Structure formats: structure tokens, C-alpha cells
Amino acid sequence: MPKLSWSELRIRVARLGASLGVVVRSDPEVCGLSGEDFRLSLHHGGHGDCTVADLSLIDCPNELVLIEFERWMRGAGYVLEI
């Protein structure tokens, strides 16, 4: 995945939230979403976190966090409309 701008990351997280049917939290510094068995948080500084199933990523590059979160979504049967 090429390096995405902060704006592109926020749009992508908004689309993931729509696919999951959850509300996305977004402000100038942080955007994220959460549900019963998942949590995703990306930070403007370039590093984020996610927890899904048996995977926890803490303070990892935003792009890696997004890749792993999307992999979990596909494995869990969610349809990604990106």
C-alpha cells in the first residue's frame, strides 16, 4: 500500500466504518472506530493502533495498521467497499 495522506486515511477509515455499520470518530489529530470485537485508531503523527481477534498492534505505522485491520475484516466476512 502506498503511503496515504492524512486526508486519504480518514476517508478510508470512514468507508471501513460504513462497511462495519459503526460510527467513526474523527478530529484533526486522530480518527478511529470501534465495535464489540475490534478497535482501530490512526494518528496524524503517522502511527496507530488496532485490536482485532488475537492481534494487537500498538504504535505501528498507520498503513500497516490499516492493512492488518482490512485483512481481519475480509477474514471475518465483511465486504470492503474501498
Side-chain angles (χ1 to χ4, degrees), residues 39-43 47-51 57-60 62 65:
R39 184 184 62 76
L40 170 71
S41 179
L42 303 180
H43 303 267
H47 286 77
D49 314 297
C50 81
T51 302
L57 298 175
I58 299 170
D59 199 27
C60 292
N62 284 334
V65 172

Side-chain angles (χ1 to χ4, degrees), residues 3-21:
K3 185 152 175 72
L4 299 173
S5 72
W6 180 238
S7 221
E8 292 167 322
L9 287 168
R10 291 174 65 184
I11 290 167
R12 196 154 181 147
V13 170
R15 289 182 180 151
L16 294 176
S19 294
L20 291 164

